[in-house]
Amino acid sequence: MANPVVLTVDDDPAVSRAVARDVRRRYGDRYRVVRASSGEEALTALREVKLRGDQVAVLLADYRMPQMNGIQFLEAAMDLFPAARRVLLTAYADTDAAIDAINVVDLDHYLLKPWHPPEEKLYPVLDALLDAWAAAPETTTNEVRVIGHRWSAPSFTVRDFLARNLVPYRWLLADEPEGGRLLAAAEACAEDVPVVITTDGTTLVKPTEAELATHVGLSTTPAADFYDLVVVGAGPAGLGAAVYGASEGLRTVLVERQATGGQAGQSSRIENYLGFPDGVSGAQLADRARRQALKFGAELLTARDVVGLEAAGATRLLRFSDGTSIAAHTVVLATGVSYRQLTAPGLAELTGRGVFYGSASTEAPSCAGQDVYIVGGANSAGQAAVYFARHARRVHLLVRGPDLRRSMSHYLIEQIERIDNVEVHPHSEVVGGDGTDHLEQLTICDNRIGERRSVKASWLFVFIGAEPRTDWLADVVARDARGYVLTGPDLASDGRRPAGWALPREPYLLESSLPGVFAAGDVRADSVKRVASAVGEGAMVVSLAHQYLAAQ
């Protein structure tokens, strides 16, 4: 962090240089002295300091300045840095105005010009003010700051993107004092949110995920046009393929639409993954794998949406949504699956405003002392229930079937049974939701008897199965009726090679109907929906890619 600022403002160049010189001579090793020649110039400098997340310790302003006098400047500066100590420089004739300013801007001191010798008239005053300020300084931060509204879906999207990409950030409400000060510094208003202020002070108003990624240090542009291996999707399968591909010498790039980890990255705790007897969060596991892939030389592109795949001879071409493209010898499709959305009336409009798909762990602290409703009966829903039980007053787990045994691991069922504030509701479905600016009420149906009841609720997290995002592959590779990519033996259930297959060999085990294009993890038809199996397929597919390349 930069040293705290002492700002001096005076329209007389000689006086301005003198005061800055005297302050710098005694305090320059601990404080950064910023000099301005007018109130407007000084306010511009303060806005920049505020946006960078730095501190201002003392403001010294001359009383007699045109356009904006010292009292007017200090009054405006208070809105940005209320804890900064305020000093007015005055001539003897202006002492009455200085005394009046004590009430107007809560003035800490006024100094008569000239202040020489500074050892007697300036430094004792500043010493006392700096000591007082240092005893209770303003909070500094080197984090990204996000200003938004509590029940704003775009604000949630920004926070979720940063959290899932492990970018530290500070969340501020637009109607809170500090949030308002930052909006003022950015010359934005409450209607502009979400506003993101990066660590270097750059202001982003309603940024897209691509803009956000670029400004917080995530890579979005490929370093080359051609690769040995392109992996699409950075869930466990994609991360596994990137680690093994790069470690075995393939020039590898990993392309992710949103954040590394996929659905597994949102899991609060994975306890049945080999080598982690105490469990590991999905975010921790994904971060370790990401760093491992980067260590071996893989590139990672974030916030890049792949929308097309085509064959150009032996080359496989991938097109991005912005019209650019990259090419490779081989491609691994590891796009995983997305949670299906509830179709009950009233819920679509409340997505991101009380209705969330996936764990949305950023919201957990806000659930303190409230009831949380979770829909789903598989492991992801169970892990979320255990996690939210630490924050919420009560967690209601709504399950369509008679119990959890059909789709949830035994260890999770036992955990849930031991948690007093988790209640399982069998034969229950959400059939409606209502609210103004956020979710306020749910309608729940007992599917055995058709009886409906309404409950007050502000939090609904949905884990109701998943579907692959493979529409962009419809005319390129063979898929099953649900959209999952067919590979290997599944391509020729009748004993014949897939249509259009021109090679003399059969497709490899994880190879799609387009030679050199492989599928791994949840996106592959009939795959085992577990983290360990996805990682294993990611490793296996690299071996098959080597075989494909060797035969070319």
Side-chain angles (χ1 to χ4, degrees):
M1 297 296 294
N3 286 337
V5 168
V6 174
L7 182 139
T8 71
V9 52
D10 197 307
D11 65 311
D12 185 326
V15 175
S16 178
R17 285 194 299 270
V19 68
R21 177 201 63 215
D22 288 343
V23 172
R24 191 174 289 114
R25 184 171 61 191
R26 184 175 180 95
Y27 307 103
D29 61 329
R30 291 164 289 155
Y31 295 89
R32 182 159 54 98
V33 179
V34 175
R35 183 162 65 94
S37 60
S38 70
E40 283 297 338
E41 182 183 327
L43 286 176
T44 298
L46 287 180
R47 292 188 191 103
E48 293 176 359
V49 172
K50 186 72 177 179
L51 294 177
R52 285 197 301 268
D54 295 337
Q55 298 173 313
V56 174
V58 172
L59 302 165
L60 295 102
D62 183 59
Y63 171 63
R64 291 197 176 189
M65 292 188 295
Q67 284 83 49
M68 180 184 293
N69 66 34
I71 295 175
Q72 292 169 328
F73 162 72
L74 290 174
E75 189 171 12
M78 285 175 63
D79 293 335
L80 295 171
F81 291 97
R85 303 296 167 165
R86 293 172 284 278
V87 179
L88 195 66
L89 303 176
T90 68
Y92 182 79
D94 298 322
T95 53
D96 288 344
I99 293 170
D100 291 340
I102 293 174
N103 295 321
V104 176
V105 295
D106 195 19
L107 194 67
D108 293 289
H109 204 90
Y110 67 89
L111 285 172
L112 294 176
K113 298 186 290 185
W115 56 84
H116 298 295
E119 289 77 10
E120 294 180 11
K121 297 185 177 181
L122 177 64
Y123 296 152
V125 172
L126 289 184
D127 284 345
L129 293 178
L130 289 171
D131 286 345
W133 175 84
E138 291 183 284
T139 302
T140 59
T141 179
N142 59 353
E143 298 174 330
V144 173
R145 284 152 292 169
V146 181
I147 304 101
H149 296 307
R150 178 68 199 87
W151 296 110
S152 161
S155 296
F156 165 73
T157 299
V158 166
R159 293 161 52 216
D160 189 56
F161 178 84
L162 293 173
R164 293 186 62 189
N165 282 287
L166 302 179
V167 178
Y169 72 92
R170 184 180 174 199
W171 166 238
L172 299 148
L173 294 176
D175 55 2
E176 290 182 342
E178 181 63 10
R181 286 191 283 269
L182 283 169
L183 288 178
E187 298 184 279
C189 62
E191 288 71 31
D192 294 327
V193 300
V195 171
V196 177
I197 301 171
T198 65
T199 54
D200 64 359
T202 301
T203 299
L204 307 174
V205 177
K206 298 179 180 177
T208 65
E209 289 184 349
E211 291 171 333
L212 201 54
T214 299
H215 283 88
V216 299
L218 301 175
S219 179
T220 60
T221 305
D225 296 324
F226 197 91
Y227 294 85
D228 296 318
L229 178 66
V230 174
V231 183
V232 185
L239 288 166
V243 167
Y244 282 93
S247 68
E248 294 181 13
L250 298 179
R251 185 162 193 183
T252 302
V253 60
L254 178 60
V255 182
E256 169 54 43
R257 186 171 61 95
Q258 188 174 44
T260 55
Q263 282 191 349
Q266 295 180 280
S267 296
S268 57
R269 183 148 299 269
I270 302 169
E271 297 191 64
N272 58 354
Y273 189 70
L274 185 68
F276 292 90
D278 297 321
V280 62
S281 74
Q284 290 173 325
L285 188 63
D287 182 52
R288 292 181 183 188
R290 177 189 63 82
R291 288 188 282 116
Q292 196 171 13
L294 294 175
K295 182 189 80 170
F296 286 124
E299 290 181 42
L300 172 58
L301 307 182
T302 306
R304 298 306 301 267
D305 195 10
V306 180
V307 296
L309 169 65
E310 59 188 76
T315 296
R316 302 295 175 254
L317 189 69
L318 287 159
R319 290 183 289 104
F320 295 121
S321 58
D322 63 357
T324 61
S325 62
I326 55 175
H329 290 302
T330 58
V331 173
V332 174
L333 303 173
T335 51
V337 291
S338 300
Y339 287 114
R340 287 198 291 267
Q341 297 201 352
L342 284 173
T343 58
L347 296 183
E349 308 85 61
L350 297 170
T351 300
R353 298 187 290 130
V355 177
F356 304 95
Y357 292 87
S359 64
S361 58
T362 54
E363 301 302 293
S366 300
C367 299
Q370 302 181 53
D371 281 19
V372 166
Y373 288 80
I374 296 175
V375 178
N379 279 9
S380 54
Q383 290 162 351
V386 172
Y387 177 69
F388 281 102
R390 305 172 195 164
H391 302 271
R393 186 187 73 86
R394 194 159 195 82
V395 174
H396 301 270
L397 188 55
L398 309 179
V399 186
R400 292 179 62 184
D403 53 43
L404 299 173
R405 289 178 294 179
R406 179 181 175 184
S407 53
M408 189 176 293
S409 294
H410 180 67
Y411 81 92
L412 261 179
I413 296 174
E414 288 188 326
Q415 277 191 38
I416 289 171
E417 289 174 346
R418 292 194 298 266
I419 301 174
D420 292 337
N421 64 332
V422 175
E423 183 176 352
V424 179
H425 301 268
H427 302 290
S428 297
E429 299 180 46
V430 173
V431 294
D434 191 27
T436 50
D437 64 334
H438 67 94
L439 177 67
E440 296 173 352
Q441 180 175 282
L442 289 173
T443 302
I444 300 171
C445 178
D446 185 326
N447 59 28
R448 293 169 300 181
I449 57 177
E451 181 180 330
R452 297 188 175 200
R453 61 189 175 94
S454 294
V455 296
K456 291 183 178 180
S458 296
W459 307 98
L460 176 68
F461 299 90
V462 182
F463 304 83
I464 56 168
E467 53 193 7
R469 296 181 62 259
T470 58
D471 290 346
W472 60 284
L473 295 168
D475 300 322
V476 184
V477 299
R479 303 175 301 155
D480 68 10
R482 297 178 298 166
Y484 291 92
V485 177
L486 295 168
T487 59
D490 292 335
L491 287 166
S493 57
D494 58 359
R496 294 182 296 177
R497 291 177 180 170
W501 186 266
L503 299 180
R505 62 171 176 82
E506 302 295 326
Y508 294 131
L509 182 62
L510 301 179
E511 193 171 20
S512 74
S513 60
L514 179 61
V517 175
F518 302 85
D522 289 359
V523 74
R524 190 177 66 82
D526 297 324
S527 64
V528 178
K529 303 299 190 281
R530 287 290 185 268
V531 174
S533 62
V535 173
E537 289 189 9
M540 186 191 308
V541 82
V542 172
S543 176
L544 299 175
H546 273 296
Q547 293 181 44
Y548 171 83
L549 292 171
Q552 296 304 299

